[in-house]
Amino acid sequence: MSIKFGIAPIGWTNDDLPELGGNIPLERCLEEARQAGYTGIEKSGRFPDDVDTLAPLLADHGLELVSGWFSGLLLNTPIDQEKTRIRNQLELYQELGCPVMVYAETTGTVQADRQKPVGDRPTIEPDLIRRYGEKLSKFADWLQSEGCPMSFHYHMGTVIEQRPEIDLLMDNTDTSVGLLLDTGHLVFAGGDISELVEAYGQRINHVHCKNVRLDVLDRVKRERLSFLDAVIEGVFTVPGDAEGGIDFRRFLKELHDLSYAGWIIVEAEQDPEKANPLEMAEMGYAELLDGARSAGFEIG
């Protein structure tokens, strides 16, 4: 069982909140990601979209492109239209050998709306989730045939956020719909990491490790903050931060026990003025590396 460690650029620059790190050059992000020990990185909006520019840029820094976010609209969009929407990103990922496509259903999402509390997200009826699952499976089958399988990202502020919704989606989709296990979003939504691993471990094909400051989370819920305001207030941090409440040693042991193999990504959106990106990246890497070795993983 071999795993690799990557990182998301969101600790340096936040696409949804340009005031957080918008002045940080991409070159610094790539240099510091590699300096911290990572061999992979996910794509952000700051990255070039053409392979002839991006491939040598990543190679110069000793990094692989692991994957990246796609804002799905399949709930109300025909499959053929969704294929057209995703085509350019898919072709880039194919060229660079990305192992998965991170896909989230963002129809009606409030995740990027600072005027709406994250609790005021859209919801859909269970029967509609079941029908959506059939449609999502067909789309995931196509992505799999294209060599870039889907990794579905439940996310705060979206229609698939809480454990009952995840359960319905997993129960009503084919195995071509892989599950992205995001520790931070699951805890934010009140879910239990160990229970999700036990329930759907064999469907997990990508992992995001973000820690949660539980005291900040309590205030976010009490004051009904938006998702982006929660980020600004520091609800997320990296593995290894004593202010976080997630036991990543236990989580890594559980991943090892189910024979997980693939990428583990540190992704913790924070204000780079308050949380130095290099220091946070190094902290997350050190915690996960030590925990993975203790769990028995081989590090690729």
Side-chain angles (χ1 to χ4, degrees):
M1 289 173 287
S2 178
I3 57 171
K4 297 180 181 181
F5 294 116
I7 195 165
I10 203 164
W12 286 268
T13 304
N14 192 313
D15 287 344
D16 292 328
L17 286 167
E19 61 267 36
L20 299 187
N23 60 329
I24 296 178
L26 176 59
E27 189 76 16
R28 175 185 161 189
C29 169
L30 298 176
E31 287 179 357
E32 293 185 347
R34 189 68 190 95
Q35 181 181 339
Y38 300 93
T39 56
I41 194 163
E42 290 194 346
K43 188 180 182 298
S44 79
R46 301 285 293 277
F47 282 46
D49 288 323
D50 63 291
V51 67
D52 291 337
T53 304
L54 184 55
L57 179 64
L58 293 173
D60 286 347
H61 292 88
L63 293 167
E64 297 179 51
L65 189 68
V66 177
S67 186
W69 170 277
F70 182 79
S71 296
L73 298 175
L74 193 61
L75 186 64
N76 294 323
T77 300
I79 291 177
D80 286 345
Q81 187 175 330
E82 193 75 340
K83 288 179 180 179
T84 300
R85 291 185 64 243
I86 206 171
R87 173 58 71 181
N88 288 342
Q89 187 166 325
L90 175 60
E91 289 179 351
L92 178 66
Y93 288 9
Q94 289 170 325
E95 291 276 359
L96 293 173
C98 291
V100 296
M101 172 71 71
V102 173
Y103 186 92
E105 180 56 57
T106 59
T107 299
T109 181
V110 301
Q111 69 196 75
D113 189 342
R114 292 187 66 181
Q115 306 308 311
K116 292 184 179 179
V118 66
D120 287 353
R121 69 185 179 98
T123 58
I124 55 178
E125 294 297 320
D127 284 345
L128 183 54
I129 294 179
R130 294 185 183 98
R131 294 197 296 274
Y132 173 69
E134 296 176 5
K135 193 176 181 183
L136 188 68
S137 294
K138 293 177 182 178
F139 189 67
D141 289 345
W142 174 74
L143 284 174
Q144 186 165 279
S145 73
E146 292 288 319
C148 193
M150 177 186 293
S151 189
F152 189 90
H153 194 340
Y154 53 86
H155 196 283
M156 294 304 300
T158 72
V159 295
I160 306 294
E161 175 195 274
Q162 298 185 11
R163 179 62 193 274
E165 297 152 353
I166 298 171
D167 288 344
L168 271 173
L169 189 71
M170 290 290 98
D171 291 346
N172 290 278
T173 51
D174 297 335
T175 56
S176 58
V177 179
L179 180 65
L180 190 157
L181 197 156
D182 186 299
T183 57
H185 282 276
L186 187 65
V187 170
F188 196 130
D192 183 277
I193 296 170
S194 298
E195 291 178 359
L196 194 70
V197 170
E198 182 178 358
Y200 304 114
Q202 299 306 315
R203 300 278 294 269
I204 297 169
N205 61 353
H206 202 52
V207 173
H208 280 176
C209 285
K210 57 164 64 78
N211 213 341
V212 176
R213 294 183 174 95
L214 299 178
D215 57 335
V216 178
L217 178 58
D218 287 343
R219 183 161 59 85
V220 167
K221 293 181 177 181
R222 188 170 61 251
E223 298 179 8
R224 301 191 74 246
L225 299 184
S226 69
F227 178 72
L228 293 183
D229 282 333
V231 169
I232 290 172
E233 292 300 313
V235 71
F236 295 129
T237 183
V238 297
D241 188 338
E243 295 181 358
I246 296 178
D247 184 349
F248 285 94
R249 303 300 178 106
R250 176 181 177 180
F251 174 52
L252 288 164
K253 181 65 169 62
E254 291 167 345
L255 283 182
H256 179 271
D257 290 347
L258 64 84
S259 301
Y260 177 79
W263 286 94
I264 294 178
I265 308 298
V266 170
E267 187 210 34
E269 45 264 67
Q270 298 188 85
D271 183 347
E273 294 295 325
K274 300 176 181 177
N276 180 277
L278 176 58
E279 293 176 2
M280 291 289 105
E282 291 175 332
M283 182 187 297
Y285 182 80
E287 174 70 9
L288 293 181
L289 180 63
D290 190 52
R293 285 175 171 165
S294 297
F297 275 114
E298 176 184 341
I299 313 301

